[in-house]
Amino acid sequence: MRVLFAASELTPIAKVGGLADVMAALPAALKRVGVEAAVVIPRYSFINVSRIKRLASSIAVPLARGVEHVSLYRGTHAKTGVPVFLVENDRYLSSGPGPYFNATAFVGGRKEIQRFTFFSKAVAELLARGAFGSVDVVHCNDWHTGPLASLLTRMNADKTPINADKDAPRKNPRKSALHPRKSATTKVVFTIHNLANQGRWNAAEIDRWMLVKGESSPFAKSGADYNFMAEGIRSADWITTVSESYSREILTPQYGEGLEKLLASRRKRLTGILNGIDYAFFDPAHDPLIPNRFSIKDIGWKPLNKLWLQHHFGFRVASDIPLFGLISRLTEQKGIDLIPPAIKEYVSPVKSRRGGTTWQAAAQFVFLGQGAPEHEQALVALAQKYPSTVFTKIGFDEPLAHAIYAGSDFFLMPSRFEPSGLGQMIAMRYGSVPIVRATGGLADTVFDNSTGFVFLKESAKDLASAIGRALVCYREAPLRFSDIRRQCMEQDFDFVNAAKQYRDLYYARPNAPPRNAGRG
Ligand code: GLC
């Protein structure tokens, strides 16, 4: 069984969000359960290919105004050993910024649409030529590869049925060159990581740019637009999303982002498989990126990581001040705007009741991430106003991220919606107790008063009251708090659990409904 993952991101070479982490961890976990997987992404301008093997060059991808050429590189993922293919093309893939043209990862404009339509076309062409070797399943991810799902489904439909005479003369030479393995159809799995980001664009414009004379569009219009997320949903053999709760939520208007009817029509083909995390990489007992390693058995070392953070950020260094962490894309989805009003009452220094002279805050907060300017500014402003209790860093910082997971007592994830969420799983593994809204993957992984503090409504007031409950537990019921923290650390979010479910899906008969399809 050989599976090719197609995606826009891959940790560590092209990471924006959780999608990148999943593209690294899932193929590696599949290897452990006997499935061979490889990944293909665009060769963005910042990816250095000077020491990577070029498999093919000058492969023609026909577009309306002439042919574009691509090269294909094959490397190996440094950490997991999984084969990584990179598709290079100067005009659409390998110049300009990457992966996206906009910091929030939400589809910005024409260039992004063209980039990923072209990527899909190029990958379909390369597959047809057998450039990736034999492939049984193409696993597409998010809107960027929705067109690929359509193109492959159309290619599959064009193929001669299995019992047809393989030696019969080929009528259309171009077609046969494109389909060297006549009888083998490739199964297409499409995973929704984030339904809010769909990739819609004017259909006529895309047709004018992409279609070769006489060719009809492989995409379906909705109004004047194509919708590339909808393409993936409409055409894949199986649709998955990254938690069971989210797979039910997206059938409702509140979470369906306008695609709930389409999703409902494919309900029997839709299943939720909870993401996991790479347990070897995120392991507080062996993590080289954290100041002091620890495990459930020697949890006593964990607080030293908090002291390190406090010292590092110029906070008051004291093990009894609770520290809250947040590591996130800073977008509307993540409920970042709820944070400033919710934490106001906890950040201002208050006079210690004991001393009378020392100033002590109720809590300390560390924020790390990047995204929409208004959210970045709001968190930076908080840090400027309360420098002794709030620290904000805009950007990516892997070592700091690990130090925050290791050193924080609590981890904030007040998401409006959350297909899976990885941060809460990593936090739990590092004994940082999550405070989350009950939605999607958060609702499937965090349980109130047992592995975290959960609130229901999208409001700063409800977030504040969950933080308040967490603080009361921390200060007034330390044994209870230790118990919650231990239960967090005992959870099993190893990606291998998900890998087994994907393996079942890859092997499923084309018409068999997946295990939990159509629930809810
Ligand atoms: C997206 C989702 C997040 C999920 C990740 C990986 O970033 O927002 O919930 O964990 O994809 O599937």
Side-chain angles (χ1 to χ4, degrees):
M1 170 64 68
R2 284 196 81 230
V3 182
L4 180 70
F5 282 82
S8 56
E9 300 180 28
L10 172 64
T11 297
I13 54 178
K15 162 151 173 154
V16 177
L19 171 63
D21 295 337
V22 173
M23 289 306 104
L26 175 56
L30 283 165
K31 206 158 78 171
R32 287 163 61 201
V33 301
V35 175
E36 228 183 295
V39 186
V40 59
I41 63 167
R43 191 237 131 179
Y44 301 114
S45 55
F46 55 77
I47 302 177
N48 182 352
V49 285
S50 60
R51 287 195 288 166
I52 304 181
K53 186 172 177 209
R54 189 155 71 186
L55 280 187
S57 53
S58 298
I59 306 265
V61 179
L63 295 178
R65 278 192 210 126
V67 165
E68 274 295 319
H69 291 97
V70 296
S71 297
L72 185 67
Y73 293 83
R74 184 186 192 276
T76 306
H77 194 279
K79 219 180 72 206
T80 64
V82 165
V84 175
F85 293 96
L86 301 167
V87 183
E88 182 178 71
N89 166 268
D90 282 343
R91 188 188 299 258
Y92 295 111
L93 306 177
S94 314
S95 53
Y100 312 121
F101 291 81
N102 152 341
T104 62
F106 275 75
V107 52
R110 177 184 290 109
K111 281 192 172 158
E112 218 154 78
I113 293 279
Q114 289 195 333
R115 168 172 287 182
F116 291 107
T117 317
F118 181 76
F119 176 61
S120 287
K121 261 207 118 177
V123 172
E125 190 74 34
L126 290 162
L127 269 163
R129 289 167 183 255
F132 302 102
S134 78
V135 174
D136 303 296
V137 178
V138 176
H139 193 143
C140 302
N141 294 276
D142 269 354
W143 76 264
H144 320 96
T145 53
L148 176 61
S150 282
L151 291 163
L152 293 177
T153 309
R154 180 180 261 214
M155 273 164 56
N156 280 339
D158 280 355
K159 283 178 183 166
T160 327
I162 296 192
N163 55 3
D165 180 4
K166 290 205 191 75
D167 299 323
R170 291 170 180 170
K171 287 198 188 103
N172 178 342
R174 184 172 174 270
K175 236 184 180 178
S176 56
L178 274 175
H179 306 297
R181 291 172 302 110
K182 280 194 88 169
S183 58
T185 56
T186 329
K187 209 186 242 185
V188 180
V189 174
F190 182 76
T191 295
I192 302 167
H193 295 263
N194 192 339
L195 195 61
N197 196 5
Q198 298 184 355
R200 298 176 67 115
W201 203 258
N202 183 274
E205 195 182 324
I206 292 183
D207 285 350
R208 269 200 308 278
W209 163 69
M210 198 186 86
L211 295 184
V212 179
K213 220 172 170 193
E215 209 176 29
S216 67
S217 176
F219 310 130
K221 265 198 231 174
S222 59
D225 290 344
Y226 289 139
N227 179 328
F228 288 142
M229 181 64 95
E231 286 302 320
I233 295 167
R234 195 176 288 117
S235 48
D237 295 303
W238 305 108
I239 304 123
T240 74
T241 184
V242 285
S243 69
E244 275 200 52
S245 285
Y246 193 61
S247 76
R248 287 189 296 267
E249 287 172 349
I250 56 178
L251 300 173
T252 66
Q254 190 190 346
Y255 293 98
E257 304 283 347
L259 297 183
E260 58 277 6
K261 291 213 175 84
L262 173 64
L263 283 157
S265 75
R266 300 229 61 210
R267 195 187 196 134
K268 292 222 159 62
R269 303 257 127 201
L270 170 68
T271 183
I273 300 177
L274 182 68
N275 280 335
I277 53 174
D278 179 339
Y279 260 38
F281 184 58
F282 294 111
D283 178 2
H286 298 103
D287 188 339
L289 296 176
I290 65 177
N292 292 280
R293 290 172 208 148
F294 60 96
S295 66
I296 301 188
K297 276 183 245 120
D298 47 16
I299 189 77
W301 293 99
K302 178 174 162 82
L304 296 181
N305 292 299
K306 174 159 74 179
L307 301 184
W308 184 90
L309 285 179
Q310 290 172 325
H311 177 74
H312 198 72
F313 298 135
F315 292 171
R316 213 180 95 125
V317 179
S319 62
D320 61 346
I321 302 182
L323 193 144
F324 291 70
L326 171 130
I327 303 168
S328 179
R329 272 186 296 120
L330 304 178
T331 58
E332 173 86 9
Q333 167 193 349
K334 301 290 181 178
I336 302 300
D337 53 311
L338 305 180
I339 290 176
I343 69 170
K344 231 180 220 139
E345 57 181 299
Y346 305 114
V347 288
S348 352
V350 289
K351 217 168 208 170
S352 154
R353 262 176 273 148
R354 273 169 281 154
T357 45
T358 24
W359 291 83
Q360 193 176 313
Q364 298 167 338
F365 295 85
V366 178
F367 304 126
L368 170 65
Q370 68 180 41
E374 66 271 24
H375 298 312
E376 292 183 352
Q377 276 150 25
L379 296 185
V380 167
L382 266 181
Q384 279 164 350
K385 190 155 177 210
Y386 304 103
S388 63
T389 52
V390 181
F391 177 87
T392 299
K393 176 164 179 179
I394 300 301
F396 282 114
D397 188 334
E398 191 78 46
L400 180 60
H402 284 236
I404 295 173
Y405 286 121
S408 54
D409 299 296
F410 297 102
F411 191 78
L412 296 172
M413 266 182 101
S415 306
R416 292 205 155 74
F417 68 94
E418 196 61 79
S420 159
L422 303 172
Q424 83 279 18
M425 300 188 211
I426 304 170
M428 282 191 257
R429 182 131 162 96
Y430 284 77
S432 177
V433 176
I435 296 175
V436 307
R437 195 171 94 74
T439 182
L442 296 173
D444 291 354
T445 50
V446 183
F447 302 98
D448 194 41
N449 256 314
S450 120
T451 55
F453 295 90
V454 180
F455 65 101
L456 290 174
K457 277 214 315 249
E458 291 180 25
S459 81
K461 203 166 135 252
D462 288 49
L463 170 60
S465 99
I467 294 177
R469 285 195 294 125
L471 283 172
V472 168
C473 176
Y474 183 88
R475 288 188 191 289
E476 289 165 25
L479 289 178
R480 177 95 204 98
F481 175 73
S482 307
D483 212 36
I484 292 180
R485 189 169 59 187
R486 185 182 46 75
Q487 292 185 70
C488 285
M489 293 180 78
E490 280 170 1
Q491 300 300 301
D492 178 10
F493 297 121
D494 192 332
F495 225 134
V496 87
N497 302 320
K500 287 180 187 153
Q501 296 176 60
Y502 282 110
R503 182 186 58 188
D504 290 349
L505 201 64
Y506 300 150
Y507 278 106
R509 276 180 295 114
N511 293 318
R515 205 173 42 85
N516 61 358
R519 280 208 206 150

